[in-house]
């Protein structure tokens, strides 16, 4: 337990001391909203129509940005080899990483989402549904991202492959995420999203650990 | 650290072990046994597969043929070895103490106290410093301190003395000697001369001469 | 971490050794090729000369004889890859990763062909090449997954090491594909009121079923043949890479 | 040739496209097999000592 | 001149031999298009409206994704120090890097843009305007990105400054880029974009070189 | 390489030089001069500022006080020095030859031919190999080869023998000796003993003892 706490603490410190990563993410998220709003023009009906989708696309793309930093630094300075020999199981270490990844790359987006809602002329009720759907759905994105990053970590310079691998896998998250904002049966979609997140979060650390421990050096 | 023989008596035995990278055999058909309190030095020119052999024993690289085993461990016990490779796994953004503390927690703080371990490797006063500021030798010392904060019977050291000064060479010898005293095992790949006080504890395995 | 190298005298170990696998399965290649060719000839003859036009879709029903086999193979090949991935991860079977690698581009091609023929079929029947219909869309996603796997294989320079990692990803994909299918169905029914009709009624007359089945087997055997050949090539390629590396290193120990 | 009805273009293109792709794949498979076998033979000729491993 | 060519060749090789080869990037854009369709829904009118914005967001993202690989590997393995002592001026080396960055992260997008246009139901004329605007505008993104990456790599903890630095510079590019696809005075926007690119490309190498060479190790 | 004294006679002179990192003085008030054909060895425990001094002389770190100068260069000439640091700047994705060729082009191919240089450092047969496959010592050898493909009078070497085997130590000695023969200058920070055939060419600067 203390080992897991130590892992969480280390990851958080590394992520936060690293500096601008979080800010880049948030800025990217907001810029995406601004650009789309600009492209569509001042048609608030249309904007509101596309808003749920755009929020999810922006969130998905923003979460891709931090992916390469999940395992690569540890791979390159030899820490990943040592983690494979730690008392703490590798999958637990990865679970901690996924959690911190979510904390530093999804949570800031959710906190910044009011700005996006404003840009995309979202009404109050939709806004709250969006917050709920992001809260419930982004863990799945983080988990899939971890699998993608783990699979590509031993590829030198393979930064772009991970997004390609996980984008098709993330489509259900996107569909249910958008569905839980717009659809008439939004609560059903939200439930599904929750189930998906739960499954992804509970399985991904093991898959990622398997991928990492079957990579040589 | 005060009592000798803290480890159960283990033996590392390799029979017919062939290691290699990318399907290419580097060290063929090795057989050796390392008894408790023994240190095996791996020697050989650059590129003969010392690092590869250590990685194989650490379970990172799959052996091409043959087997090896740490006899005497009960299967319940967690990882039994420390690997200390070319790269130091030091995070520049964390302080020296945070770096070490992390590994102590993650591996189980069964060994020395953080501060003691830092003092032991000569970093006692740098605990609060950002690890990114450490010199090459200081980073190496920090990596060595990791071996001290968690007791594990088998040490796999890859050029432990790299970047260390004369005092650092002594430090490595001292640490190794103490580890063997406690009934530990060690394999060390090195180009520098390492001489333990008791030469009977050291054996040398010269890996094939190439290029 | 130890590897058992004691020889087992079962067929399992006979195909486990790459060299023996090639020697053992090479005699199968020609019969498979001939069988495939014969099936194609019969199938095409049926498809063009011995099957009626559908009363509803007219002659376009003939596209079905290439569309459905490809669509079926697009999923079957993923199944083959999944089984191979299990073979790599669970049994550490050396031929499993070869099979996995050889199947990926074939699967991508069959999926692409399913999309292509489907699109060409959609135009006369639905009046559009592309519709965000559930089945079509999930096939598109499947194509992305295949292409991702192909890209992944290309990105690793050490293919032996790549196999286990890609096996993990293949299995993750295998879990996810049913979910994708389901979610896409849900999505397109959500967005699209019943503008899409499907002509896959259960009442297919036998005169249509016969060519369908023959073509179905023809394509399946085509896959088996190509897969086997590609596996042989892959085994040889690995030996080439090993030799090249050894040569690049000069006289290795 | 039989009459394919008003949508002949699509049918013909579907079959042609499939045929061309399959042909390309078969061709590529054969080419790949040949060139790999040739390189293997070359290498084994150059390093006969380690031909078998 | 041969030195510059060697630099270009090396960067290209490094970029292409990694996982980030052109096929991967092209795939990335196609998948981005599909993601947008999944999120917004298969309504071609809607898709066409947001298409210009999405194209630029995708381009921006792709450039951000590759940014970390611009100087960091060279910084970490010590090559950046050596480049400061090369016969070839550092700014020339950086110019080569920016050029290759554009070649491997913007050009494939432009090449793949027909597929994106198809997915997003763009009409022919818009498509050509998009190609023009991407061709003219992406160099500016690459150049600004290089400055940001240089600042990040050289200043410890400068991570925070970089995004704040790039964001205000990139937003005009994105706005004019989108403008030159949609707006009625698209040629004016295009001209502006060209001026921006020209300025950015000619100044950025010097700014980046200054940032790097004023950094200690 | 055949003719001796290919470099103009240069002298590296430092007067009252203080180096340090982050505002902290490490080596205070150094004054020394290195004449053509001379090698200055920097010695001292870990963390005393050897690397910092070399980086200062390379122009990467600004000195805290004092000046240094390479006397005798005309100001038109490009960079006059090779810095060979702890890290090897070897790109794993490029082949060994491509790696070296790149630096030859970028620094100006005024020295040995690529293939000759590789043979010189003992990598002659690995030219086509992906540099990522090199062992630690082989990578170091590749870094040393970079010094040979471009002639530059001043060499700043940071632990040149790190990770090298016994033959590698000889290699470094041989390369240094030949460089000094040609009228070159060298500063080397090292923990290993380096002994040139002519001991008159070597001087040692022991840096202060800290921590
Ligand atoms: C790009 C477009 C299309 C794609 C990706 C696609 C994909 C698929 C898939 C995945 C299957 C299931 C194969 C199996 O499980 O064995 C299938 C079967 C089938 N498709 Fe398509 N399809 C497309 C267009 C069409 C069109 C336009 C029609 C006809 C109007 C059509 C008619 C059928 C029929 C009759 C079957 C077989 C019946 C069945 O398995 O239920 N498809 N297609
Ligand atoms: N991933 C890899 N794939 C193929 N060959 C590799 C790989 N990694 C290393 N090698 C090769 O294996 C050989 C041995 O490497 P290794 O690192 O084990 O040597 P070493 O004995 O530790 O040498 P050193 O003393 O220089 O550290 C080298 O010749 C290298 O080219
Ligand atoms: N950026 C920095 N800011 C502040 N202090 C630093 C910085 N970099 C290094 N130091 C400190 O400078 C000291 C000397 O570092 P340096 O690398 O010069 O030592 P060294 O003599 O080369 O040691 P070694 O033999 O271990 O390589 C160290 O004590 C380190 O803590
Ligand atoms: Mg080694
Ligand atoms: Mg140093």
């Amino acid at each position: 337990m203390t080992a897991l706490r130590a892992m969480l603490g280390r990851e958080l410190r590394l992520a936060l001391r690293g500096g601008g990563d979080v800010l880049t993410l948030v800025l990217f998220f907001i810029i995406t909203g601004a650009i789309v709003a600009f492209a569509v023009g001042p048609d608030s009906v249309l904007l509101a129509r596309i808003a749920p989708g755009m929020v999810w696309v922006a969130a998905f793309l923003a979460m891709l940005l931090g992916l390469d930093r999940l395992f690569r630094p540890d791979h390159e300075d030899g820490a990943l080899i040592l983690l494979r020999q730690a008392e703490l199981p590798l999958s637990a270490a990865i679970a901690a990483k996924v959690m911190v990844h979510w904390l530093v790359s999804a949570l800031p987006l959710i906190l910044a989402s009011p700005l996006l809602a404003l840009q995309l002329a979202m009404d109050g009720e939709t806004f709250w549904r969006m917050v709920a759907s992001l809260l419930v759905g982004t863990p799945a994105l983080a988990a899939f991202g971890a699998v993608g990053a783990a699979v590509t970590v031993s590829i030198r310079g393979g930064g772009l492959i991970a997004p390609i691998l996980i984008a098709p896998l993330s489509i259900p998250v996107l569909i249910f995420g958008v569905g839980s904002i717009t659809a008439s049966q939004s609560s059903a979609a939200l439930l599904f999203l929750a189930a998906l997140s739960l499954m992804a979060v509970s399985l991904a650390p093991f898959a990622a650990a398997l991928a990492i421990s079957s990579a040589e050096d | 650290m005060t009592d000798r023989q803290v480890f159960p008596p283990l033996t590392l035995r390799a029979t017919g072990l062939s290691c290699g990278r990318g399907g290419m055999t580097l060290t063929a058909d090795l057989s050796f046994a390392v008894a408790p309190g023994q240190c095996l030095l791996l020697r050989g020119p650059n590129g003969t597969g010392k690092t590869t052999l250590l990685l194989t024993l650490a379970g990172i690289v799959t052996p091409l043929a043959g087997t090896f085993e740490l006899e005497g461990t009960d299967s319940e016990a967690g990882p039994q070895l420390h690997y200390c490779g070319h790269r130091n796994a030091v995070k520049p953004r964390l302080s020296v103490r945070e770096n070490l503390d992390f590994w102590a927690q993650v591996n189980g703080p069964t060994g020395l106290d953080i501060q003691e371990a830092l003092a032991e490797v000569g970093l006692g006063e740098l605990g609060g410093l950002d690890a990114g500021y450490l010199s090459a030798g200081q980073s190496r010392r920090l990596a060595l301190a990791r071996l001290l904060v968690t007791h594990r019977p088998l040490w796999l050291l890859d050029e432990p003395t790299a970047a260390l000064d004369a005092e650092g060479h002594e430090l490595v010898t001292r640490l190794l000697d103490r580890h063997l005293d406690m009934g530990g095992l060690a394999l060390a790949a090195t180009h520098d001369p390492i001489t333990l006080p008791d030469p009977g504890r050291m054996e040398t395995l010269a890996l094939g001469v190439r290029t | 971490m130890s590897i058992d190298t004691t020889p087992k005298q079962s067929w399992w170990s006979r195909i486990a050794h790459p060299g023996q696998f090639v020697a053992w399965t090479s005699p199968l290649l020609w019969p498979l090729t001939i069988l495939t060719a014969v099936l194609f000839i019969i199938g095409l003859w049926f498809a063009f000369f011995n099957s009626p036009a559908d009363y509803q879709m007219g002659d376009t029903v003939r596209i079905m004889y290439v569309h459905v086999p490809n669509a079926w193979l697009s999923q079957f090949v993923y199944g083959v890859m999944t089984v191979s991935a299990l073979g790599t991860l669970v049994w550490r079977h050396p031929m499993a990763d070869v099979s996995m690698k050889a199947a990926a581009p074939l699967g991508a091609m069959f999926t692409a062909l399913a999309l292509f023929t489907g699109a060409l079929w959609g135009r006369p029947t639905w009046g559009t090449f592309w519709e965000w219909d559930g089945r079509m869309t999930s096939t598109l996603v499947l194509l992305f997954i295949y292409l991702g796997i192909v890209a992944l294989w290309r990105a690793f320079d050490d293919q032996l090491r790549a196999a286990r990692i890609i096996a993990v990803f293949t299995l993750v994909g295998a879990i996810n594909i049913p979910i994708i299918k389901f979610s896409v169905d849900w999505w397109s029914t959500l967005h699209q009121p019943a503008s899409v009709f499907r002509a896959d009624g259960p009442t297919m007359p036998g005169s249509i079923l016969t060519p369908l089945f023959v073509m179905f087997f023809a394509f399946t055997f085509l896959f088996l043949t190509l897969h086997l050949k590609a596996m042989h090539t892959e085994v040889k390629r690995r030996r080439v890479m090993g030799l090249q590396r050894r040569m690049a290193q000069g006289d290795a120990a | 040739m039989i009459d394919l009805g008003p949508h002949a273009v699509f049918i013909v293109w579907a079959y042609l496209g499939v045929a061309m792709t399959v042909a390309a794949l078969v061709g590529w498979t054969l080419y790949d097999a040949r060139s790999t076998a040739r390189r293997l033979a070359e290498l084994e000729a150059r390093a006969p000592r380690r031909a078998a491993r």
Side-chain angles (χ1 to χ4, degrees), chain B residues 50-76:
Chain B
K50 298 181 294 298
T51 300
T52 307
L53 177 57
L54 289 178
L55 283 174
T56 308
L57 294 175
I60 308 287
V61 170
T62 353
L64 298 177
T67 55
F68 65 89
E69 205 186 346
L70 195 58
E71 294 172 356
T73 35
D74 71 78
S75 53
E76 296 292 276

Side-chain angles (χ1 to χ4, degrees), chain C residues 162-208:
Chain C
R164 289 175 61 76
I165 300 174
I166 297 177
V168 172
F169 182 75
T170 308
L171 286 182
V172 172
I175 299 173
N176 219 33
I177 282 176
I179 300 176
I180 294 175
K181 257 203 154 62
F182 161 75
S183 65
V184 165
D185 279 340
W186 188 79
W187 170 73
S188 69
T189 50
L190 191 76
H191 286 289
Q192 282 188 249
S195 70
V196 179
F197 78 96
R198 291 203 71 95
D200 51 358
T203 54
M204 274 195 219
S207 54
I208 287 181

Side-chain angles (χ1 to χ4, degrees), chain B residues 172-188:
Chain B
V172 170
T173 319
R174 197 166 66 237
L175 296 183
L176 256 180
D177 199 43
R178 198 183 301 147
H179 179 65
L180 300 183
D181 266 354
M182 295 193 290
L185 288 66
L187 268 89

